[in-house]
């Protein structure tokens, strides 16, 4: 009989198992102020593009294996391509829509569904809008909500803040087109994994900033329909780029289980550009946003899921505690998944889903359902 044990518990990035770190990270603990301090020396953009292209091919294989485990994740019901309006890099990107049972008849009955707007992981450099299809199934079945996964544009071709701009554009599009999409704009949530967990947070900051711009009497853009982002569900997010990777690795409970410098250097070199980009920019490091920015933009409910063996665990937990404390007083649920590394739920095991996923995915979706059903 074949051995159907789980793939070994090692860090995973969008279906790609990453060999554990075998040597101590000798990088600097000096807290970086700019991208040049992080990417020192900086790789050429051509070299980063070549590396990213190779990694994207590996990611396709890993996610194909990830999809094989039973029960198979759903396919998108449909996709829409929308224009980029906020970014200086003009173009288009896709939204992948997963719809619950009965959605096709929604127009006949006038039903509107809550929507969870999702952002995939991959260090802002790899990944696709279909990567979180397993979580989408739980959203459809538990929340009876539409799951919209955003194929935001990737670095190094599109560095910071393109992903955040695209995320805010997606929110504005969904709200403006909510009637045609049978979505209730008063019942929205953002969600994301890893880099996407960062975007789930920073998208609300970018969204709120643009709302203020639209409120200017001289702005001639059409008004934004009434809406409400009720929650953020963020999974093992990066929240603070002003702390060096070396410090994050060394203070992790299992440094050998963290993503290796070769991987994080590619991600950081690709996304953190140009060189004078400040690491405490709130759309990059939401932990460094002011209390006023967070109070205005972050919704009342925040769900934070971190991994015990992840170099990002401590900053995720610290961010959750800050949001829950004075003066922000958000309703925060933080849960650390024990004994797992970063991206554990994207394991490329074709035999069964990763350990704990059913339990924690269900926990998250039940909380989202309660939030959507709450009466103002």
């Amino acid at each position: 009989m074949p051995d159907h044990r789980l793939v070994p518990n090692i860090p995973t990035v969008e279906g790609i198992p990453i060999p554990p770190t075998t040597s101590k990270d000798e990088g600097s603990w000096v807290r970086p102020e700019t991208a040049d301090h992080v990417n020192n020396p900086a790789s050429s953009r051509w070299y980063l593009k070549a590396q990213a292209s190779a990694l994207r091919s590996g990611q396709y294989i890993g996610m194909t294996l990830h999809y094989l485990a039973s029960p198979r994740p759903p396919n998108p019901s449909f996709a829409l391509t929308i224009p980029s309006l906020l970014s200086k890099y003009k173009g288009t990107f896709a939204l992948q829509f997963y719809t619950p049972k009965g959605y096709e008849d929604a127009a006949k009955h006038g039903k509107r569904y809550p929507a969870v707007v999702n952002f995939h992981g991959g260090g802002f450099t790899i990944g696709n809008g279909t990567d979180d299809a397993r979580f989408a199934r739980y959203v459809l079945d538990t929340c009876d909500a539409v799951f919209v996964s955003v194929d935001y544009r990737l670095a190094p071709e599109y560095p910071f803040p393109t992903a955040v701009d695209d995320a805010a554009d997606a929110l504005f599009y969904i709200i403006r087109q909510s009637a045609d999409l049978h979505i209730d704009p008063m019942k929205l949530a953002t969600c994301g994994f890893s880099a996407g967990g960062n975007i789930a947070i920073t998208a609300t900051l970018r969204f709120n900033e643009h709302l203020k711009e639209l409120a200017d009497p001289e702005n001639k853009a059409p008004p934004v329909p009434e809406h409400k982002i009720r929650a953020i569900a963020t999974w093992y997010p990066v929240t603070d780029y002003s702390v060096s990777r070396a410090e994050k690795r060394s203070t992790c409970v299992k440094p050998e289980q963290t993503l290796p410098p070769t991987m994080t250097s590619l991600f950081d070199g690709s996304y953190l550009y140009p060189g004078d980009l400040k690491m405490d920019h709130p759309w990059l490091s939401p932990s460094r946003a002011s209390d006023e920015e967070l109070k205005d933009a972050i919704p009342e409910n925040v769900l934070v899921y971190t991994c015990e063996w992840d170099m990002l665990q401590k900053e995720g937990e610290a961010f959750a505690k800050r949001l829950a404390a004075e003066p922000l007083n958000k309703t925060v649920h933080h849960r650390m998944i024990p004994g797992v590394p970063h991206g554990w739920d994207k394991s490329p095991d074709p035999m069964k889903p990763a350990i704990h996923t059913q339990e924690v995915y269900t926990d998250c979706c039940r909380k989202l359902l309660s939030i959507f059903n709450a009466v103002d």
Side-chain angles (χ1 to χ4, degrees):
M1 292 289 291
D3 186 351
H4 291 347
R5 291 177 299 177
L6 288 170
V7 169
N9 239 3
I10 61 176
T12 305
V13 179
E14 300 305 280
I16 305 175
I18 307 300
T21 302
T22 57
S23 60
K24 184 178 180 181
D25 186 347
E26 300 294 344
S28 173
W29 277 41
V30 175
R31 299 208 162 183
E33 295 182 3
T34 68
D36 275 342
H37 295 152
V38 176
N39 305 315
N40 185 18
S43 299
S44 72
R45 306 308 286 175
W46 176 88
Y47 178 72
L48 291 170
K49 289 177 184 178
Q51 280 193 308
S53 178
L55 196 58
R56 290 165 189 165
S57 297
Q59 187 251 346
Y60 175 81
I61 297 171
M63 289 308 296
T64 298
L65 293 173
H66 173 73
Y67 293 148
L68 290 177
S70 181
R72 297 287 294 273
N75 293 318
S77 304
F78 63 93
L80 294 175
T81 299
I82 70 171
S84 164
L85 301 177
L86 296 178
S87 174
K88 69 179 181 180
Y89 299 102
K90 299 308 176 187
T92 60
F93 59 96
L95 306 179
Q96 306 289 341
F97 286 79
Y98 298 78
T99 58
K101 293 178 181 178
Y103 179 85
E104 294 77 8
D105 296 324
K108 300 176 185 177
H109 307 293
K111 182 172 181 177
R112 298 278 196 102
Y113 292 86
V116 176
V117 184
N118 181 73
F119 309 99
H120 65 80
F124 305 96
T125 303
I126 65 173
N128 299 283
T130 55
D131 290 350
D132 300 314
R134 287 198 178 279
F135 182 67
R137 178 187 296 280
Y138 287 83
V139 172
L140 302 184
D141 293 347
T142 304
C143 301
D144 194 30
V146 175
F147 186 82
V148 187
S149 200
V150 181
D151 263 318
Y152 57 88
R153 291 170 295 169
L154 301 174
E157 295 86 349
Y158 299 97
F160 175 86
T162 309
V164 184
D165 289 335
D166 287 355
D169 266 331
L171 290 171
F172 279 109
Y173 180 87
I174 291 165
I175 290 167
R176 292 187 186 279
Q177 305 301 321
S178 58
D180 291 339
L181 295 171
H182 312 304
I183 285 172
D184 183 348
M186 299 302 293
K187 294 184 178 182
L188 303 177
T190 63
C191 174
F193 295 75
S194 190
N198 171 285
I199 300 171
I201 301 165
T202 57
T204 65
L205 296 168
R206 182 68 178 99
F207 180 85
N208 194 59
E209 180 70 19
H210 192 55
L211 277 181
K212 293 178 180 177
E213 295 169 358
L214 293 175
D216 187 326
E218 296 185 5
N219 194 304
K220 304 303 180 184
V224 180
E226 188 178 8
H227 61 276
K228 188 165 187 177
I229 301 174
R230 293 180 174 268
I232 294 172
T234 180
W235 297 80
Y236 40 88
V238 53
T239 66
D240 193 353
Y241 277 96
S242 71
V243 178
S244 73
R245 293 284 190 176
E247 181 176 346
K248 292 180 183 184
R249 282 191 187 89
S250 297
T251 56
C252 178
V253 296
K254 283 208 171 184
E256 71 278 9
Q257 286 287 343
T258 62
L259 298 180
T262 51
M263 181 70 70
T264 54
S265 294
L266 169 61
F267 293 160
D268 294 347
S270 297
Y271 190 57
L272 306 181
Y273 182 82
D276 61 354
L277 172 64
K278 300 292 187 182
M279 294 299 94
D280 62 357
H281 193 301
W283 302 350
L284 180 67
S285 298
S287 289
R288 298 299 167 183
S290 69
D291 286 342
E292 182 180 3
E293 288 172 306
L294 295 176
K295 193 171 187 66
D296 289 347
I298 300 295
E300 172 61 29
N301 301 281
V302 183
L303 312 178
V304 182
Y305 294 85
T306 58
C307 305
E308 183 183 15
W309 297 349
D310 185 4
M311 74 169 81
L312 304 178
Q313 195 282 323
K314 288 188 176 180
E315 65 193 81
E317 181 178 23
F319 186 59
K321 289 181 177 178
R322 181 185 173 193
L323 292 177
E326 292 281 355
L328 301 178
N329 298 315
K330 303 295 182 179
T331 301
V332 178
H333 166 81
H334 170 242
R335 180 171 180 176
M336 182 185 72
I337 297 93
V340 298
H342 184 88
W344 100 100
D345 57 322
K346 301 302 187 296
S347 164
D349 185 350
M351 305 311 301
K352 63 175 71 174
I355 187 173
H356 299 313
T357 52
Q358 180 176 352
E359 178 191 356
V360 293
Y361 281 7
T362 299
D363 174 71
C364 179
C365 290
R366 285 177 176 170
K367 286 180 169 59
L368 287 174
L369 176 62
S370 178
I371 292 166
F372 288 144
N373 289 341
V375 177
D376 291 332

